[in-house]
Amino acid sequence: MIQGVQLDLISEERLARLTSMEKIRLILDEVMAGNIVVLEKGLSPEESSRLIEMTMMEISPDGFAGIEMETYPARSQGGGLLARLFGNKESPSRLTVIGPANQLKMLRKERDLISAWVSSR
Amino acid sequence: MDILTKARKRLSRFLRVFFKKKRSRIGIYGPPNAGKTTLANRIVRDWTGDALGPVSEIPHETRRARRKEDVTITNGDGDSIVIDIVDTPGVTTKIDYHEFTEYGIEKEEAVKRAREATEGVAEAMHWLREDIDGVIYMLDATLDPFAQVNIMMVGIIESRNLPVVIVANKIDLPDASPARIKSAFPQHPVISISGLEGKNVDELYDKMIEFFG
Ligand SMILES: Nc1nc2c(ncn2[C@@H]2O[C@H](COP(=O)(O)OP(=O)(O)O)[C@@H](O)[C@H]2O)c(=O)[nH]1
Ligand SMILES: [Mg+2]
């Protein structure tokens, strides 16, 4: 069989239909199976906090070693005060790539360019 | 500061002690090896004379959050805050026990450390969601501040509306670039220090009184 890596690009619409927990589970299941996930729209701060926590629980020696993840910094939001008053609940994050830490390596990261390297297992 | 302001500060401090106002719990966050424990020890030593935990060049030396209660920090003007300092394990999205065997640690011990480290990171995230009132976010100024985990953590801290002071640490090293950190997080105060040598920590104490008071 040809060596390769599965790449799943998940649309904003698809993500919007999922609850936070479903999103996190979907990401972890994919990544633990050795796939790379690209999200059209990133996770909210709350979701990324839970993702880190759940990732930690799935790590095992000689097995899953965690995730590598890159996204662009949020565009600075207008109306800073209002955003603060009502809490920055609305996800400001953007295109996001997530993969297994031992297969996805970030080569270069700038404000407007992310360059990554993917290896097969 | 005029006499009246001074008197008012004294009175408010007296009232605070009298009514046992809830202390702010300040968490020190940041990636592994940024110098969190070194700074936590310095703060605790400077203001109470004790120490908090062991420092190491091996990542994830701190695998449990450690807390020191009732640390009073005072500046030259007589302003002060009473805080709990929480030294947290570094936050990361990946942990491989080989990170430890590289330092000559036996496999069995390395696997154990890796497991404790994963629990420690999960614990630190939990503290941030439940028990922290303010954050010192520490960065090694010789490294790239745009690393994903920093962007993500600062986003999480902002979404909780917690006051945050960013520390550009290790400015004693020649390739330290606090300017890069300032440009990465223009929305927050950035204080450049050497936690190891104690350089500029007074400025950090002033900022802490201003921000966490
Ligand atoms: N040159 C330099 N090294 C530092 C400084 N602060 C901490 N270190 C070193 O960085 C390493 C990690 O420090 P530690 O406090 O354990 O980091 P933590 O993992 O964030 O708690 C140790 O070898 C420290 O001696 C500093 O200001 N300058
Ligand atoms: Mg530490």
Side-chain angles (χ1 to χ4, degrees):
Chain A
M1 207 181 105
I2 302 168
Q3 292 291 305
V5 176
Q6 181 177 327
L7 189 65
D8 286 319
L9 295 94
I10 306 178
S11 68
E12 185 173 344
E13 290 75 14
R14 177 71 172 249
L15 289 166
R17 283 203 303 272
L18 301 175
T19 66
S20 290
M21 224 45 212
E22 287 168 336
K23 240 185 266 184
I24 291 167
R25 201 60 262 176
L26 171 74
I27 293 166
L28 271 178
D29 287 346
E30 291 252 9
V31 171
M32 289 177 73
N35 303 336
I36 307 290
V37 191
V38 179
L39 310 177
E40 189 178 13
K41 190 158 183 273
L43 301 173
S44 70
E46 180 74 22
E47 288 164 347
S48 37
S49 162
R50 305 249 175 213
L51 176 64
I52 295 176
E53 221 177 314
M54 288 194 61
T55 299
M56 289 300 125
M57 293 194 272
E58 299 285 2
I59 290 178
S60 64
D62 297 312
F64 183 54
I67 60 174
E68 188 69 67
M69 175 168 165
E70 285 295 337
T71 186
Y72 295 109
R75 289 191 184 89
S76 58
Q77 292 165 301
L81 182 66
L82 279 184
R84 284 203 161 253
L85 275 176
F86 297 106
N88 305 338
K89 287 286 183 291
E90 184 55 32
S91 162
S93 67
R94 301 159 64 189
L95 192 69
T96 301
V97 55
I98 309 172
N102 54 2
Q103 281 174 265
L104 182 64
K105 298 274 176 273
M106 291 306 151
L107 297 179
R108 200 146 66 95
K109 166 100 185 258
E110 290 165 17
R111 272 199 182 278
D112 51 5
L113 179 102
I114 293 170
S115 179
W117 166 266
V118 182
S119 68
S120 52
R121 286 207 262 199
Chain B
M1 195 182 339
D2 61 62
I3 292 175
L4 224 110
T5 325
K6 247 183 200 152
R8 209 177 309 136
K9 294 247 164 167
R10 283 230 182 82
L11 180 66
S12 79
R13 209 178 320 153
F14 168 77
L15 289 175
R16 193 161 52 210
V17 173
F18 196 77
F19 290 108
K20 277 213 165 20
K21 174 180 171 280
K22 183 182 156 290
R23 295 178 307 264
S24 297
R25 213 172 277 139
I26 306 304
I28 306 183
Y29 283 81
N33 275 345
K36 298 179 293 300
T37 303
T38 304
L39 178 67
N41 281 339
R42 181 172 286 281
I43 294 174
V44 170
R45 186 161 10 94
D46 280 358
W47 302 102
T48 73
D50 300 337
L52 204 55
V55 169
S56 172
E57 54 161 9
I58 304 173
H60 305 293
E61 184 64 28
T62 314
R63 298 185 292 282
R64 284 271 171 281
R66 281 208 178 81
R67 181 159 64 100
K68 177 72 182 170
E69 292 187 339
D70 276 329
V71 179
T72 306
I73 298 179
T74 312
N75 69 11
D77 293 336
D79 307 320
S80 71
I81 45 166
V82 183
I83 55 172
D84 285 4
I85 282 286
V86 185
D87 179 26
T88 70
V91 170
T92 171
T93 57
K94 57 187 175 205
I95 290 171
D96 186 334
Y97 73 86
H98 293 103
E99 286 178 56
F100 301 103
T101 52
E102 277 167 22
Y103 285 89
I105 293 168
E106 293 298 324
K107 178 171 174 184
E108 196 184 337
E109 169 68 13
V111 167
K112 179 168 155 269
R113 281 198 189 204
R115 223 210 48 242
E116 288 173 357
T118 60
E119 290 167 3
V121 172
E123 192 185 326
M125 298 308 296
H126 207 85
W127 273 86
L128 190 54
R129 282 203 304 265
E130 312 274 329
D131 300 307
I132 294 291
D133 306 306
V135 175
I136 295 176
Y137 197 80
M138 282 210 95
L139 292 163
D140 179 335
T142 66
L143 301 177
D144 175 17
F146 286 103
Q148 178 60 22
V149 72
N150 298 328
I151 304 292
M152 203 152 60
M153 286 303 291
V154 171
I156 292 168
I157 293 159
E158 285 171 347
S159 76
R160 311 209 68 80
N161 286 322
L162 297 174
V164 57
V165 174
I166 294 184
V167 168
N169 192 34
K170 308 198 183 182
I171 53 161
D172 54 291
L173 298 177
D175 46 352
S177 170
R180 200 166 40 179
I181 295 180
K182 286 184 182 140
S183 79
F185 303 104
Q187 70 276 40
H188 299 295
V190 175
I191 310 287
S192 311
I193 68 162
S194 165
L196 192 67
E197 297 180 349
K199 200 149 101 194
N200 222 23
V201 286
D202 283 342
E203 193 188 328
L204 175 62
Y205 293 148
D206 281 342
K207 215 21 136 198
M208 287 171 70
I209 292 170
E210 182 189 333
F211 260 65
F212 303 142

Coordinates of all heavy atoms in Angstrom, one line a residue, chain B residues 31-38 53-56 58-64 66 87-90, ligand 2:
Chain B
P31 N 5.0 28.3 29.3 CA 5.6 27.0 28.9 C 6.6 26.5 29.9 O 7.1 27.2 30.7 CB 6.2 27.4 27.5 CG 6.3 28.8 27.5 CD 5.4 29.4 28.4
P32 N 6.9 25.2 29.7 CA 7.9 24.6 30.6 C 9.3 25.3 30.4 O 9.6 25.7 29.3 CB 8.0 23.1 30.1 CG 6.8 22.9 29.3 CD 6.3 24.2 28.8
N33 N 10.0 25.4 31.5 CA 11.3 26.0 31.6 C 11.4 27.5 31.3 O 12.5 28.1 31.1 CB 12.3 25.3 30.5 CG 12.9 24.1 31.1 OD1 12.8 23.9 32.3 ND2 13.4 23.2 30.3
A34 N 10.2 28.2 31.4 CA 10.2 29.6 31.2 C 10.9 30.3 32.4 O 11.3 31.5 32.3 CB 8.8 30.2 31.0
G35 N 10.9 29.6 33.6 CA 11.5 30.2 34.8 C 10.4 30.5 35.8 O 10.6 31.4 36.7
K36 N 9.3 29.8 35.8 CA 8.1 30.1 36.7 C 8.5 29.8 38.1 O 8.2 30.6 39.0 CB 6.9 29.2 36.3 CG 6.4 29.5 34.9 CD 5.2 28.7 34.5 CE 5.6 27.2 34.4 NZ 6.6 27.0 33.3
T37 N 9.1 28.6 38.4 CA 9.4 28.3 39.8 C 10.5 29.2 40.3 O 10.5 29.6 41.5 CB 9.9 26.8 39.8 OG1 8.8 26.0 39.3 CG2 10.1 26.4 41.3
T38 N 11.5 29.5 39.5 CA 12.6 30.4 39.9 C 11.9 31.8 40.4 O 12.3 32.3 41.4 CB 13.5 30.7 38.7 OG1 14.0 29.5 38.2 CG2 14.7 31.6 39.1
G53 N 9.5 25.7 45.7 CA 9.7 24.4 45.0 C 11.1 24.3 44.3 O 11.7 25.3 44.1
P54 N 11.5 23.1 43.9 CA 12.8 22.9 43.2 C 12.8 23.4 41.8 O 11.8 23.3 41.1 CB 13.0 21.4 43.3 CG 11.6 20.8 43.4 CD 10.8 21.8 44.1
V55 N 13.9 24.0 41.4 CA 14.1 24.5 40.0 C 15.0 23.5 39.2 O 15.8 22.9 39.8 CB 14.8 25.9 40.1 CG1 15.3 26.3 38.7 CG2 13.9 26.9 40.7
S56 N 14.7 23.3 38.0 CA 15.5 22.4 37.2 C 15.5 22.7 35.7 O 14.6 23.3 35.2 CB 15.0 21.0 37.4 OG 15.7 20.1 36.5
I58 N 15.6 20.4 33.6 CA 14.8 19.4 33.0 C 13.4 19.9 33.0 O 12.9 20.3 34.0 CB 14.9 18.1 33.9 CG1 16.3 17.6 34.0 CG2 14.0 17.0 33.2 CD1 16.6 16.5 34.9
P59 N 12.7 19.8 31.8 CA 11.3 20.3 31.8 C 10.4 19.5 32.7 O 10.7 18.3 33.1 CB 10.9 20.1 30.3 CG 11.9 19.2 29.7 CD 13.1 19.3 30.5
H60 N 9.3 20.1 33.1 CA 8.3 19.5 33.9 C 8.8 19.1 35.3 O 8.4 18.1 35.9 CB 7.7 18.3 33.3 CG 7.1 18.6 31.9 ND1 6.0 19.4 31.7 CD2 7.5 18.2 30.7 CE1 5.8 19.5 30.4 NE2 6.7 18.8 29.8
E61 N 9.7 19.9 35.9 CA 10.2 19.6 37.3 C 9.0 19.8 38.2 O 8.8 19.1 39.2 CB 11.3 20.5 37.6 CG 11.9 20.2 39.0 CD 12.6 18.9 39.1 OE1 13.0 18.3 38.1 OE2 12.6 18.3 40.2
T62 N 8.2 20.8 37.9 CA 7.0 21.1 38.7 C 5.8 20.4 38.1 O 5.3 20.7 37.0 CB 6.7 22.6 38.7 OG1 7.9 23.4 38.9 CG2 5.6 23.0 39.7
R63 N 5.3 19.3 38.8 CA 4.3 18.5 38.2 C 3.0 18.6 39.0 O 2.0 18.0 38.6 CB 4.7 17.1 38.0 CG 5.9 17.0 37.0 CD 6.3 15.6 36.7 NE 6.9 14.9 37.9 CZ 8.1 15.1 38.3 NH1 8.9 15.9 37.7 NH2 8.6 14.4 39.3
R64 N 3.0 19.4 40.1 CA 1.8 19.7 40.8 C 1.8 21.2 41.1 O 2.9 21.8 41.3 CB 1.9 19.1 42.2 CG 1.6 17.6 42.2 CD 0.1 17.3 42.4 NE -0.2 15.9 42.2 CZ -0.3 15.3 41.0 NH1 -0.2 16.1 39.9 NH2 -0.6 14.1 40.9
R66 N 1.8 24.4 43.1 CA 2.2 24.7 44.5 C 1.7 26.0 44.9 O 1.9 27.0 44.1 CB 3.7 24.6 44.6 CG 4.3 23.2 44.7 CD 5.6 23.3 45.5 NE 6.2 21.9 45.6 CZ 6.9 21.4 44.6 NH1 7.1 22.0 43.5 NH2 7.4 20.2 44.8
D87 N 2.4 28.4 41.9 CA 3.3 28.0 40.8 C 2.8 26.8 40.1 O 2.5 25.8 40.7 CB 4.7 27.7 41.5 CG 5.7 27.3 40.5 OD1 5.6 27.7 39.3 OD2 6.6 26.5 40.8
T88 N 2.6 26.9 38.8 CA 1.9 25.8 38.1 C 2.9 25.1 37.2 O 3.9 25.6 36.8 CB 0.8 26.4 37.2 OG1 1.4 27.1 36.1 CG2 -0.2 27.3 37.9
P89 N 2.5 23.8 36.9 CA 3.3 23.1 35.9 C 3.2 23.8 34.5 O 2.2 24.5 34.3 CB 2.6 21.7 35.8 CG 1.7 21.6 37.0 CD 1.4 23.0 37.3
G90 N 4.2 23.8 33.7 CA 4.1 24.4 32.4 C 3.0 23.8 31.5 O 2.8 22.6 31.6
Ligands
MG2 MG 8.5 24.8 37.6

